[in-house]
Amino acid sequence: MDYRSEIKKLAKEKDAIILAHNYQIDEIQEIADIVGDSLGLSIEASKTDKSVIVFCGVHFMAETAHMLAPDKTVLLPNLDAGCPMADMITGEKLREFKKDYPDATTVCYVNSSAEVKSESDLCCTSGNAINVIKSVDSDQIIFVPDKNLGHYVQRFTDKEIILYPGFCPIHNRLTPKQVEEIMAKYPNAEFVAHPECPPAVVDMADHVCSTSGLYTYCKNSDSKQFIIGTEKGVGYRLRKENPDKEFIFAYDEFICKNMKKTSLKNVYDCLSNMENVITVDAEVTKKAVTCIERMLAIPRNE
Ligand code: 13P
Ligand code: SF4
């Protein structure tokens, strides 16, 4: 079957929009209506006039889309696509953690469950985390679950950021030694890193940004070679938009298995059967949606 054309037909028939994260496999990025980072895709989900949102990403992204567009049907083509970092904290764990800091504002990374969002005051993505932190009035901020992103935003504020020990297993694996070695091999390359990387790696970067920020940076830079400190899915668009530039990934296996689980067949099946519908409990949504909407009102980092 020619999945590409069948999916296009089905999407029209079902009045669906296909959203895909920048880490999805090339074939999914090719057929998607919109490809973007977590922030961009949340914005698209909140403003679409389509009846169905097919979210090619991981579970928390589809949950967030449903909370922002509760009258739409949100489909996650592969239900096994989760985020190990988001799973490192639960609503229960966050309630316990907050007890030690009664005056703190809680900011959660969008890579978290709906329940964690319902226990948080404000949400952020890597695309607007600095501005979100700057918008907080209180002197103490609990930041969950990504300790690396929390550590990164601490560089931009005098407020005390209380870190939770979560991390992305894919970004956290990158070591300064690996970066050093690859820099020695490509001495003229710029190093661009995602803020989910460990602080010692972030220290070595020429630029730190979200996945979509990376496209803008590499396009505008005069450099011809870039060492990329994030998941390999971004290579598809980087190569397409910059045929004269070379992109070297900081380590070979910079791959999020969960982001790679969605296939064209999954997209076709979920649309044709209208299956894998993601919903969030109405009470949880009521509490969580405020922190997500507050996030959408805050502009991207520079
Ligand atoms: P962004 O989409 O914010 O760049 O984050 C990357 C990520 O790890 C998503 O799971
Ligand atoms: Fe989660 Fe990391 Fe995969 Fe993003 S790259 S979905 S943070 S495990």
Side-chain angles (χ1 to χ4, degrees), residues 21-23 36-41 57-58 60-61 82-83 85 109-111 124-128 146 149 168 170-171 194-196 209-214 230-231 234 256 259 300:
H21 189 267
N22 293 324
Y23 294 161
D37 64 359
S38 306
L39 182 58
L41 296 177
V58 291
F60 75 81
M61 295 180 170
C83 169
M85 163 152 66
Y109 191 20
V110 73
N111 296 42
C124 74
T125 77
S126 63
N128 66 0
D146 188 7
L149 181 60
C168 163
I170 325 302
H171 288 83
H194 195 280
E196 286 176 16
C209 56
S210 81
T211 50
S212 288
L214 182 81
T230 196
E231 212 270 354
V234 298
C256 172
M259 281 286 186
R300 276 187 182 276

Side-chain angles (χ1 to χ4, degrees), residues 239-302:
R239 285 187 289 268
K240 202 161 126 183
E241 290 180 355
N242 308 278
D244 57 329
K245 298 183 180 180
E246 189 184 359
F247 301 97
I248 306 111
F249 284 86
Y251 73 94
D252 255 1
E253 289 306 304
F254 218 138
I255 293 168
C256 172
K257 286 196 191 96
N258 281 280
M259 281 286 186
K260 303 302 189 217
K261 283 181 180 167
T262 305
S263 65
L264 287 176
K265 182 177 186 312
N266 293 154
V267 177
Y268 175 81
D269 287 346
C270 83
L271 254 179
S272 68
N273 304 323
M274 289 301 282
E275 61 192 12
N276 299 2
V277 178
I278 301 298
T279 53
V280 181
D281 175 81
E283 274 308 300
V284 174
T285 300
K286 216 160 102 188
K287 284 169 79 185
V289 81
T290 326
C291 90
I292 310 170
E293 280 171 351
R294 284 178 73 192
M295 165 187 88
L296 294 188
I298 297 172
R300 276 187 182 276
N301 302 332
E302 296 281 293

